[in-house]
Amino acid sequence: MLLLLICLLFTLVTAQGQSIESISGNVVNSNGDIMTGNALVVSPIDSTIIAGTSFFDGKFELENLNAQRVLLKLTSLEFQDTYINVEFEGQTLIDLGDIVVEEASTELDEVVVVSKTPLVKQRPDGSVEIKVENTTLATSRSAQEILSRSPSVLVDENNGISIFGKGDAVIFINGIKVSNERLSTIAPSNIDKIEIITNPGPRYDAEGNAVINIKTKRNTEEGIKGMLKNYYSYSDFAGYDNRTNLDLNYRRGTWSMNATYGLLVGNDRWLKNTTRTRDEVGDFFSSDIELDWLYERNNFSNYSLGGQYDISEDSYISMEFNGAYEDMGGDQLSDNTIIDNEIGLYNSVLEMEDLNRKNIFNLNYSTQLDSLGTNLFIGGQYASYKNSFDNDINESSIIDGVESNSKLNNSGEGNIQIVSVQLDYTKVYDKSSLEMGGKFAYVNNTSFTDFFDLEEDGTSIRDTELSNNFQYDERVPALYLNFSKRLNENTNYSLGFRTELTDYTLFTSVDGGAVIEDNYINVFPNASFDTKLSKNTNIFITYSSRIRRPSYETLNPFVIYQDEFTSIRGNPNLQPSRIHSFETGGTYKDWNLKFGYTYTIDRITRAAFQLENSSREYVLQTINFDREHAFFASLSRNINLKWWQSINTIIINYNELIDNTGVFEIRDNEPSFYFYSQNSFTIGDLFTFYLTGWYLSDLQDGIYLRKNQSTVNIGVEKLFFGDTLKLNLDFNDVFQGIRADGNYRSGTTDIIYGNRFNTNFIRFSASYNFGNLKKSSYKNKKVGKSENERT
């Protein structure tokens, strides 16, 4: 019924018409050599950009044009700008064949970019592509910060990365899934665009509610190309930090190489306040806690080295090594005032000594089997994530005027190893395609944590109750199949499924030791349909089913110390969440409307619980809720003028979280809304001014209340020396509106919490491009996928 109403709405406001639907061609020079560059379709009336794409092997195709007459512009460092007038003469799909262009000298410092592609591209299936390069997002010093500034993406220290209205998001890089931990290994200067896919198909791993696909830049020109970029940030709240990135690309003949190195040093901070109150007959308790994490990044390095050999024009083999070394120091300060049958003041200082080492190796082979685009891809990955920590803890307390002191030591190691192989085969027919493939992944997670009481004479006594050994082994084979067909020039559909078998063994030494074994198989059907009602209007409807497995950390029952009465512990009894999602909507010119419903079984979330044998101790633990219903509606409007580019989105969301355990207090649900606006103003040839802001209202899902938050970011950008030098000055979260505050009731305890992060800062960044360019085609896929996501 909803689909019929949308069809009727769009049919009334526009009429059917014939026009140019797509333009394709093959760009070569006078010797017949294939060219690399960009193809833009602009309006012959006001030069407004209608569509754009890049081509690496001469061939390009621009779709969904819906115009009677357009001007095609071909531009590159390899050849002079070429313009072609194209008019509708009864043929909707226009193939221009070979387009011969005149070569040009390509010294990098002579290039002046005068055109801009749209900030956002709406796709017929409802997914969104967001440009990063040459936008305010490009001034971010990390991939995670880029995501936090992107429309509809929420980044939270406690809840990870999510899409407003959809839920947890899974991160992919160039179409292959990686872990959130992997984000720190990506140089932010190497990110080109971001895809937000709210109903992904069966080719994607079935993990998560939505997919965020990060696309990195590719050097497509021969010779050497490099970028040196430095970011310096300062805030009164946390102090300074400085990040330096160096990106290098080189190609000669059939060989190409890519290398990056980044170094982040400086300070960060997270301040958290929590109040826990019980006010029952015979049971009064009040705890007011302030936790202050003062992080010192001694050496946060990320690095990569990749190479590719082109076996032929349609086949390549590539290798890549990617990693990070993260040395963290600093202090965790805790102040806790407890009032029950006595008044106690408890303080602790945890001296952090934490080291993370991440190393990933990829090997890929890809070949195109026919002229239609039939493709075979084979890839493999080995990943290692190692963490070691050695924290000294000094505790002090004053109870009824009597002071006492104690010392602890908490040390341990964690090691996650992942081996995965995958095969993807795509058979392309004239008006349809068949995708099929499989994957096998093996994960081994081994860790231990030890707690020691340090006596005054220097001896140490191991606390066997808090210390723990943990081992987790998991095997997940998967198969998928997807069929897509174009019924006519305006209508497409796809049907597919993915099936995954999960087989795991878990060992923990907690409570005398336990071994948990289980296996389960899931089938995830997917379907989509989209049709174009007129040259400016299309509608779509999609269905997908997915799974959200617990992360390895949340399964591990070892203790993470926060203060004398608060700890974080994993839950080995967690169950995966099953997700069913429906979406429908459409576009009309620059407007986009979308409706969605998501049903989640065994919803995973985190809360604080009072320990059974203690009136004062609480544990923060991840649990399963029975189910969740989530509805959303979104409306977007994009503006793309010569002097002003803008992304504007508003989303209304309604969540109902259902708990059958009786542990949590049930409250009335209330709808919430989210507004986002990103704006870029080009002030002649002087500078570019950026203004970005978003507002998120109170979230009330029936159990949790999360208070509203907002941000306003301002930036200025200036180019020098033929655009080789770029300077940026940014003011982030000007009004300090980003926070994570709220409350809920767990058992008989009322819990109020507030979090402040290091988001209000000033940043100066400078980037310099260098090198002489001709042509290159480095490519690499990362096959880590869902196993990496859960580290």
Side-chain angles (χ1 to χ4, degrees):
M1 184 63 184
L2 181 60
L3 178 62
L4 293 176
L5 291 174
I6 294 174
C7 293
L8 180 60
L9 172 65
F10 284 107
T11 304
L12 291 175
V13 297
T14 185
Q16 295 276 357
Q18 289 186 312
S19 58
I20 299 172
E21 296 293 334
S22 69
I23 298 175
S24 61
N26 184 41
V27 183
V28 297
N29 62 13
S30 58
N31 296 323
D33 299 327
I34 60 175
M35 296 286 100
T36 296
N38 300 299
L40 302 173
V41 168
V42 300
S43 169
I45 300 174
D46 58 6
S47 298
T48 300
I49 297 176
I50 299 173
T53 189
S54 299
F55 53 89
F56 306 112
D57 57 358
K59 299 177 182 179
F60 69 89
E61 183 176 10
L62 295 158
E63 299 179 308
N64 304 317
L65 301 181
N66 304 313
Q68 293 288 324
R69 181 167 64 93
V70 298
L71 181 63
L72 174 65
K73 178 181 179 180
L74 304 174
T75 181
S76 173
L77 300 177
E78 294 184 343
F79 55 83
Q80 296 182 11
D81 288 353
T82 303
Y83 296 87
I84 302 175
N85 281 302
V86 183
E87 296 188 13
F88 177 71
E89 296 179 350
Q91 186 177 357
T92 59
L93 308 178
I94 297 178
D95 185 356
L96 298 176
D98 288 343
I99 303 172
V100 181
V101 294
E102 185 175 347
E103 292 187 79
S105 176
T106 57
E107 291 292 327
L108 183 63
D109 57 4
E110 297 175 356
V111 178
V112 178
V113 179
V114 296
S115 61
K116 290 188 175 182
T117 56
L119 293 176
V120 168
K121 180 179 179 181
Q122 303 280 355
R123 293 178 175 172
D125 62 356
S127 59
V128 178
E129 182 180 283
I130 303 165
K131 181 183 175 185
V132 174
E133 189 176 15
N134 297 322
T135 72
T136 184
L137 300 179
T139 64
S140 305
R141 67 162 171 75
S142 68
Q144 183 162 316
E145 190 174 299
I146 289 176
L147 295 179
S148 72
R149 295 177 167 189
S150 300
S152 73
V153 180
L154 303 178
V155 178
D156 185 275
E157 292 285 347
N158 293 318
N159 300 315
I161 300 171
S162 62
I163 304 298
F164 184 74
K166 287 293 295 185
D168 298 328
V170 178
I171 307 300
F172 283 66
I173 299 177
N174 298 323
I176 303 299
K177 189 177 180 187
V178 300
S179 70
N180 289 358
E181 284 288 314
R182 281 287 304 278
L183 289 176
S184 63
T185 71
I186 307 171
S189 55
N190 202 33
I191 296 177
D192 180 42
K193 61 187 68 173
I194 295 170
E195 295 176 325
I196 299 177
I197 308 170
T198 51
N199 256 16
R203 186 163 192 169
Y204 291 94
D205 283 34
E207 189 81 17
N209 296 55
V211 164
I212 296 177
N213 185 31
I214 298 173
K215 289 192 171 183
T216 56
K217 300 175 186 176
R218 290 180 177 175
N219 179 28
T220 59
E221 301 171 354
E222 188 160 297
I224 188 168
K225 174 185 177 182
M227 173 188 285
L228 179 63
K229 189 165 186 176
N230 194 81
Y231 316 73
Y232 179 85
S233 308
Y234 177 80
S235 72
D236 292 333
F237 180 65
Y240 90 99
D241 68 58
N242 189 86
R243 182 182 183 102
T244 303
N245 282 333
L246 177 63
D247 302 334
L248 293 173
N249 293 274
Y250 174 76
R251 175 181 173 88
R252 183 165 184 175
T254 57
W255 290 93
S256 59
M257 295 190 69
N258 170 276
T260 67
Y261 177 75
L263 174 63
L264 172 63
V265 295
N267 305 318
D268 200 0
R269 187 181 179 190
W270 175 14
L271 181 63
K272 180 174 184 176
N273 293 279
T274 305
T275 299
R276 303 179 188 131
T277 305
R278 298 195 307 270
D279 193 5
E280 302 290 321
V281 176
D283 182 23
F284 176 81
F285 172 81
S286 173
S287 172
D288 190 0
I289 308 168
E290 180 181 273
L291 280 168
D292 196 353
W293 286 272
L294 303 174
Y295 298 110
E296 296 177 3
R297 292 188 175 98
N298 301 317
N299 179 351
F300 269 48
S301 295
N302 64 276
Y303 37 83
S304 68
L305 177 64
Q308 177 178 306
Y309 173 68
D310 294 333
I311 302 170
S312 66
E313 183 178 336
D314 299 319
S315 302
Y316 72 83
I317 185 171
S318 67
M319 294 179 290
E320 183 181 58
F321 171 71
N322 186 283
Y325 179 91
E326 299 171 349
D327 181 7
M328 175 78 80
D331 295 320
Q332 174 189 302
L333 310 179
S334 172
D335 293 303
N336 188 358
T337 301
I338 293 179
I339 302 174
D340 45 17
N341 57 349
E342 60 186 12
I343 299 176
L345 304 177
Y346 301 87
N347 303 289
S348 67
V349 177
L350 184 150
E351 300 172 3
M352 285 182 281
E353 200 174 305
D354 192 281
L355 178 63
N356 282 294
R357 289 159 293 174
K358 310 169 186 178
N359 295 287
I360 303 97
F361 179 77
N362 291 276
L363 177 64
N364 301 323
Y365 168 76
S366 179
T367 183
Q368 184 172 310
L369 301 176
D370 58 35
S371 59
L372 291 177
T374 298
N375 180 266
L376 173 66
F377 170 81
I378 303 172
Q381 181 192 83
Y382 170 76
S384 172
Y385 300 91
K386 294 183 178 181
N387 169 258
S388 60
F389 57 92
D390 189 359
N391 304 326
D392 289 328
I393 305 167
N394 297 291
E395 296 180 336
S396 63
S397 62
I398 301 175
I399 304 174
D400 293 336
V402 179
E403 183 175 354
S404 63
N405 298 280
S406 61
K407 292 185 178 181
L408 304 172
N409 176 267
N410 177 211
S411 59
E413 292 183 3
N415 186 8
I416 299 176
Q417 299 186 72
I418 300 170
V419 178
S420 60
V421 293
Q422 84 176 60
L423 182 147
D424 298 306
Y425 175 74
T426 302
K427 175 62 179 176
V428 180
Y429 302 95
D430 184 28
K431 293 184 178 181
S432 62
S433 65
L434 180 65
E435 297 174 285
M436 64 183 70
K439 173 192 159 184
F440 177 80
Y442 170 74
V443 178
N444 174 261
N445 179 6
T446 304
S447 64
F448 75 87
T449 180
D450 286 324
F451 280 86
F452 296 93
D453 294 316
L454 304 180
E455 303 298 321
E456 292 183 0
D457 60 3
T459 60
S460 60
I461 302 174
R462 186 173 183 265
D463 189 327
T464 57
E465 183 177 345
L466 295 180
S467 301
N468 175 38
N469 293 320
F470 175 81
Q471 182 167 333
Y472 179 85
D473 290 284
E474 180 185 80
R475 295 153 293 277
V476 181
L479 296 171
Y480 76 88
L481 182 70
N482 191 61
F483 177 74
S484 303
K485 184 173 180 59
R486 187 172 188 175
L487 296 176
N488 53 49
E489 293 181 355
N490 299 321
T491 305
N492 306 275
Y493 76 88
S494 70
L495 296 170
F497 73 92
R498 185 181 185 94
T499 181
E500 296 182 351
L501 170 65
T502 304
D503 180 18
Y504 71 87
T505 303
L506 182 154
F507 166 78
T508 175
S509 63
V510 172
D511 298 328
V515 176
I516 301 174
E517 295 180 313
D518 195 9
N519 61 76
Y520 51 88
I521 189 169
N522 295 100
V523 178
F524 308 98
N526 289 261
S528 69
F529 173 85
D530 66 86
T531 186
K532 189 176 298 181
L533 302 180
S534 73
K535 63 180 181 180
N536 293 319
T537 308
N538 79 282
I539 60 171
F540 70 89
I541 185 168
T542 63
Y543 163 75
S544 70
S545 58
R546 303 184 64 74
I547 191 172
R548 185 57 166 167
R549 297 183 181 90
S551 70
Y552 307 124
E553 180 184 70
T554 58
L555 289 170
N556 191 341
F558 70 71
V559 175
I560 299 175
Y561 179 95
Q562 280 203 346
D563 63 36
E564 188 173 350
F565 301 102
T566 308
S567 62
I568 301 173
R569 303 188 187 188
N571 180 1
N573 297 312
L574 275 176
Q575 297 298 312
S577 299
R578 274 82 172 179
I579 303 156
H580 300 272
S581 181
F582 300 85
E583 284 188 13
T584 185
T587 60
Y588 173 66
K589 293 186 177 179
D590 292 323
W591 293 89
N592 178 270
L593 180 66
K594 188 188 297 185
F595 301 93
Y597 166 70
T598 301
Y599 176 64
T600 304
I601 303 169
D602 292 326
R603 170 77 156 87
I604 296 176
T605 190
R606 192 168 78 164
F609 303 93
Q610 180 187 353
L611 290 181
E612 292 183 3
N613 300 322
S614 174
S615 63
R616 292 183 168 189
E617 290 187 66
Y618 284 79
V619 59
L620 303 178
Q621 195 169 53
T622 303
I623 61 168
N624 290 109
F625 279 116
D626 185 59
R627 59 190 183 277
E628 181 186 44
H629 301 278
F631 305 84
F632 79 91
S634 69
L635 181 65
S636 301
R637 172 73 163 93
N638 304 315
I639 300 171
N640 190 51
L641 304 177
K642 288 183 178 180
W643 62 276
W644 178 28
Q645 291 185 302
S646 182
I647 308 170
N648 301 279
T649 300
I650 185 169
I651 305 174
I652 299 175
N653 182 61
Y654 180 84
N655 282 43
E656 183 181 6
L657 195 56
I658 299 174
D659 169 44
N660 288 335
T661 65
V663 174
F664 296 90
E665 180 183 70
I666 306 301
R667 308 178 180 184
D668 294 333
N669 300 76
E670 294 181 5
S672 57
F673 70 90
Y674 167 88
F675 174 72
Y676 176 95
S677 181
Q678 180 192 138
N679 300 272
S680 169
F681 302 93
T682 303
I683 314 301
D685 295 328
L686 299 177
F687 60 88
T688 301
F689 176 74
Y690 296 115
L691 177 63
T692 303
W694 55 261
Y695 175 80
L696 176 61
S697 71
D698 289 351
L699 296 173
Q700 175 61 280
D701 57 18
I703 293 177
Y704 296 95
L705 169 63
R706 299 175 180 87
K707 293 186 178 180
N708 66 80
Q709 53 181 317
S710 62
T711 189
V712 174
N713 306 326
I714 299 173
V716 179
E717 179 179 282
K718 175 65 177 176
L719 303 175
F720 297 91
F721 309 122
D723 297 356
T724 60
L725 177 64
K726 180 188 296 183
L727 302 181
N728 291 85
L729 181 63
D730 292 277
F731 302 86
N732 198 77
D733 193 17
V734 176
F735 301 108
Q736 302 182 38
I738 296 180
R739 57 182 182 172
D741 300 350
N743 61 76
Y744 60 98
R745 184 176 177 86
S746 172
T748 60
T749 306
D750 291 309
I751 299 171
I752 302 173
Y753 61 90
N755 295 269
R756 183 181 175 189
F757 309 108
N758 183 29
T759 57
N760 173 240
F761 56 78
I762 299 174
R763 174 175 296 156
F764 175 75
S765 57
S767 63
Y768 177 71
N769 294 278
F770 58 90
N772 296 318
L773 306 176
K774 293 181 181 179
K775 188 175 183 180
S776 178
S777 59
Y778 176 77
K779 303 174 185 176
N780 191 59
K781 279 191 175 183
K782 300 177 179 62
V783 188
K785 293 199 168 186
S786 55
E787 297 71 36
N788 289 280
E789 168 64 18
R790 295 164 59 204
T791 60

